[in-house]
Structures are given as C-alpha cells and as structure tokens.
C-alpha cells in the first residue's frame, strides 16, 4: 500500500511543462497524453490561441483528463514561471547567447537531481510555427536541443514534450518503471545432455550420421545448435515434443490411432 | 560534399518501421515525420485500413514526403518481414511467451550493432486500438516495452515510433570505438517461415496438435521456440536435417536402405 502510494506520488511530480502560445487544441491534448504516459502532470499554458478550456484538447488527450483539468492558464511567461527554481527552454535552432546547451538525457538528469533537492523546475516549449522568441529563451536558465536529423529538424510540439517526459521517466529510481519480462534461465546441462543422448539414439537408428567417422563432427554441430540459444527447461520440453512426434508417429499412424504409443521410450 | 553525402547516407539507413494494419492516415503521416526527424526512411505498411496512398497521411507528414513516397504496402506481416534478419515487436502489455523483453535504449543499441554487421532489421508497431496479436508478436525475435507510467500506458502510434527512432539516432557513431565481436547473422524471416510451414504439415499429419482449437497456441509456442535463438541459415539447415531424418526414416528403414527417399518433399 505504502509502495503504491509512493509510486503514485512519484508519478505526479516532476517538471512543469509550459506551452507558450500553443496554437492547436489537438496539440495541447496530445501533449497532455504524452505527459501522462511518462508520469508528468503539471501543464501550464501561456495565452493559448483558441482560449481555455478547449474541447479539441480534451478529445486529443485520450483520457489524460487529470492533466487537462489541472492545466493552469497564464497571461505572461513571467507569471507562468514565477514559482520555479530552474527553467529549461527547448529550441530547434542554435541561439546566439551564453546559455548552456544540453541534450535531453543530460537535461533530464539535471532536472532529476534538482527535484531530489526540492527545487521546482519547468520546461518551455514554443509555438508550433516558430518556437520561442529570443526574449523568452532569455528567461530560461538553460537550453535543450534534440539530436535530430539536421535535414528534418522540426519536431511536432507533442513529440518534443514526449521526448523530455520520456527522458525524465528514465531517470526515475529503478524499480518503478523497469520493463518486466520473463527471466529466461537456461536449462541445466543435464537437461541438454538428455536431449543430446536422445538425438544420438534416434538419429543413429535412422542413418543420419552416414559414416561413423563423420558422426563426432555432426554431433558437435548438433550440440552447438541446441546449446547456443540457452533454451529454458520449458523450451526444451516443447522441442522434445516435436522430435518425439516425428520419431513415433507417421501420417498413417498418427497419435491416438493406437499402436505407436506402445513403442514409447524417451 | 563527401561529408554531406556520407551523412545523408547514414540518415537513410536503419531499421524498417513496420505498421501493422494502421487505422488513421494522420497517424501514418505523423509516423513518417517522426522517422524523418530521427533519420529513418524505410516505412512498411501491412494492410492500412484506408488503403494507400492516403492524402491524410501525406498532409500529416509535414513534408516528410520522401518517407511517404517510399512506403511499401504488404498484404501480410510475413511478407513485410520476409527479407529481415531481426525483428522487434513493440507491445504495451506483458506477453506470455519466451521472448526477451528490452527497453528502448537497449533495443536501439542492439539494432545499431546488428546494422554494423550488415543485418537487416525492423520494428513492428500494432494497430492504434489494440496493438499486435499474439501471433504477430510471435513472428518477432524480441519484445520492446517502454518505461511508461503504468497507470497510463497507451502511447500514440507516432509517439511510439518516435521514441525508437530517437533512441536509434542516439546510438549513431560519434567517433566512438565500435565494439567488435563475432556475429551470427540470423536467417531471414522467409527461412523461418519455411520451417514453420514444414512443421505445421508434418506435425499435423502426426496428430501432434490434438485438437484444432489447441493448434494456434501450440504453433505460437513453436514459433517462439525457433525464433528466439536467431538461428542462422546454416543452423536452420542442420535443424531441418534432424527433423527430416525423423520424418522420413525409421529404424527399420534407415537412410540409404532405399524406399524412403522416394517420399522426399520438403
């Protein structure tokens, strides 16, 4: 319970996302969705062109209603960042000023460190058509640029937000967000040896090895084949089932037709 | 000039992005834009719902015309991945199978390494509403899941593509020393499909699948078993030799004894 609460709390924290004069409601909605995907919840809008609330934004948010409903609207950028300790500005073009420029990974790590120290942070995103003014960039502490294809550098607004939210999430303390998958434990060598013994027998019976002097090399190849994947016990069982089916049954005497089962020996 | 050419070349390489039955043209267009942002160019569409070409896709691509125009359409996933050596599938939910699960960073590093060794790779993305079927996931070598907020895990299609394209771009060489090692090139999916077709036939003939309704799940397991190792063409040939030996010959009629060879059909 405490763990769940802590996780939920963690996922509601993080930098504020500040959209400066966003033009399309759809984009605001997609920004909200991207934020929710990666555990950000605080959206601030500076003079959204089509006003607020915006039905198109809600529709595009795809149920990230908690972000949309909590969004705050400001009539100036200065007002929107007044309570923040540290602000990053995202830009596509290099700027002629003295601010440090960071990539998203480094920027997110910095945000996480500041977060741990109790600082309040935010990230600025400009208008869809032409980004942030130099004056707006000037209000930030640092600049973030993305490692985009120089020949095609214009990121959609929601995509730009997504990447920073994603990098923020990746800096989360481990445990909460690790992708969980099946742990594949290779079967013990004993299991593998059993399969090799079985193959030796059934293939020898069928003349697979042609001549005795070719057999050691061919067995080596078979062993390499079935060792390399690190098959699990379960996988070896499925494999064995296939081999046994081919060994014991035939189109004329399929499984269940009686007779063949009596030959059973594994 | 040479530098520019080389850069352009680099930016046209990388994994194919394969959209399985994408529903909205807008999403296909935004995928193309995200690909262009991070230097991917090869888009493959399996049965796009609204046909192809699609004007909405072109409009949403925001001038990523080179990606849209080069997109290829396929009528089956098997056809779309036939020439690829290694395929990753993106999924939101954990799957009940034997495949390795990776996060985007690790997945992109693996793609980059394979790329350096001349392998052709691809990443599968499912339908907007419900993703990939288990059977489709089964055709991939590995699974990618994103470190998303568990409470809000559904990524927009273009966002999902963007993240992998971004991670791919981040692995681009920057003068770093390339880790070198022996590399086994997995057979193309076409080779693997041929094996699966063979197994389907010879196991069906032998009653391996017990009942028709159990067969799809059992085939899924077999596909997972033989996909996971990334077997090379040579390994698949050895494996096929084992299976054929069991299929065609018996202790009473071993290879070379005459008779059985006439049944040959592979």
């Amino acid at each position: 319970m405490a763990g769940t609460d802590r996780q939920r709390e963690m996922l509601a924290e993080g930098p504020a996302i500040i959209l400066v004069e966003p033009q399309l409601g759809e984009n605001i909605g997609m920004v909200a969705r991207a934020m929710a995907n990666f555990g950000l919840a605080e959206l601030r809008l500076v003079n959204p062109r089509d006003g607020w609330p915006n039905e198109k934004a809600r529709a595009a948010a795809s149920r990230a209603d908690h972000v949309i409903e909590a969004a705050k609207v400001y009539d100036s950028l200065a007002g929107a960042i007044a309570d923040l300790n540290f602000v990053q500005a995202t830009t596509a073009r290099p700027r002629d000023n003295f601010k440090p420029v960071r990539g998203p990974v480094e920027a997110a790590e910095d945000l996480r460190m500041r977060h741990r120290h109790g600082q309040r942070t935010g990230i600025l995103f400009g208008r869809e058509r032409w980004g942030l003014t130099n004056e707006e960039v000037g209000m930030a502490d640092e600049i973030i640029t993305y490692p985009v294809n120089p020949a095609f550098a214009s990121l959609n607004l929601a995509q730009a937000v997504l990447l920073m939210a994603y990098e923020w999430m990746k800096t989360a303390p481990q445990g909460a967000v690790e992708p969980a998958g099946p742990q594949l434990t290779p079967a013990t060598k004993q299991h593998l040896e059993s399969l090799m013994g079985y193959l030796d027998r059934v293939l020898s019976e069928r003349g697979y090895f042609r001549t005795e002097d070719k057999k050691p090399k061919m067995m080596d190849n078979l062993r390499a084949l079935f060792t390399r994947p690190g098959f699990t016990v379960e996988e070896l069982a499925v494999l064995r089932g296939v081999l046994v089916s081919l060994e014991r049954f035939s189109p004329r005497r399929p499984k269940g037709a009686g007779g063949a089962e009596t030959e059973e020996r594994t």
Side-chain angles (χ1 to χ4, degrees), chain A residues 14-261:
Chain A
I17 298 298
I18 302 147
L19 306 184
V20 179
E21 298 189 357
Q23 297 164 295
L24 298 173
E26 289 86 342
N27 282 337
I28 301 172
M30 282 165 51
V31 163
R33 180 178 179 180
M35 291 172 62
N37 283 144
F38 293 104
L40 294 179
E42 192 175 350
L43 177 61
R44 302 182 179 193
L45 307 172
V46 180
N47 294 325
R49 188 191 66 185
D50 297 337
W52 196 258
N54 180 320
E55 270 317 305
K56 285 182 179 169
R58 186 177 298 274
S62 191
R63 294 188 307 281
D65 295 331
H66 59 294
V67 178
I68 292 290
E69 271 156 31
K72 291 199 196 92
V73 178
Y74 298 83
D75 61 7
S76 73
L77 176 55
I81 63 174
D83 62 324
L84 303 181
N85 301 103
F86 182 80
V87 174
Q88 294 166 332
T90 56
T91 72
R93 293 160 285 139
R95 303 284 176 149
D96 180 26
N97 59 31
F98 297 117
K99 289 190 195 304
V101 177
R102 310 216 181 279
V105 176
E106 204 188 355
E109 283 165 357
D110 188 47
L111 289 174
R112 177 67 66 181
M113 185 204 63
R114 291 173 188 279
H115 175 70
R116 274 198 294 266
H117 290 89
Q119 295 185 23
R120 306 208 62 191
T121 60
I123 313 172
L124 308 186
F125 296 85
R127 301 144 192 89
E128 287 92 328
R129 287 180 77 95
W130 49 276
L132 296 166
T133 66
N134 283 335
E135 193 192 345
E136 287 159 355
V137 173
M139 297 174 77
D141 297 277
E142 290 185 354
I143 289 175
I144 301 174
T145 58
Y146 296 98
V148 287
N149 179 356
F152 200 88
S154 154
L155 278 176
N156 163 281
L157 178 58
Q159 309 277 51
V161 171
L162 180 85
L163 292 182
M164 276 309 297
Y166 165 73
E167 291 291 2
W168 163 259
M169 180 68 125
K170 285 205 311 193
T171 64
Q174 301 224 328
V177 297
E178 290 250 301
Q183 201 55 33
L184 295 177
T185 303
T188 63
K189 296 309 171 197
Q190 198 170 27
H191 280 104
L192 200 66
E193 276 316 299
S194 162
L195 177 67
M196 297 315 298
Y198 167 80
L199 281 173
D200 188 346
R201 175 172 65 76
V202 298
L203 293 176
S204 293
E205 287 172 353
R206 283 166 179 76
Y208 175 84
F209 298 111
R210 294 160 192 241
T211 61
E212 270 304 307
D213 62 309
K214 280 189 180 143
K215 182 172 164 179
K217 177 65 184 154
M218 291 175 84
M219 277 300 288
D220 277 356
N221 287 345
L222 289 178
R223 186 182 300 278
L225 176 74
F226 292 113
T227 303
R228 215 238 318 144
F231 280 134
T232 64
V233 171
E234 294 76 14
E235 287 176 313
L236 283 185
V238 173
L239 181 59
R240 185 77 153 241
V242 168
L243 298 172
V244 167
S245 174
L246 288 165
E247 177 206 354
R248 301 221 187 114
F249 306 104
S250 71
R252 272 171 299 168
R253 293 204 307 177
K255 184 164 187 172
E261 307 260 10

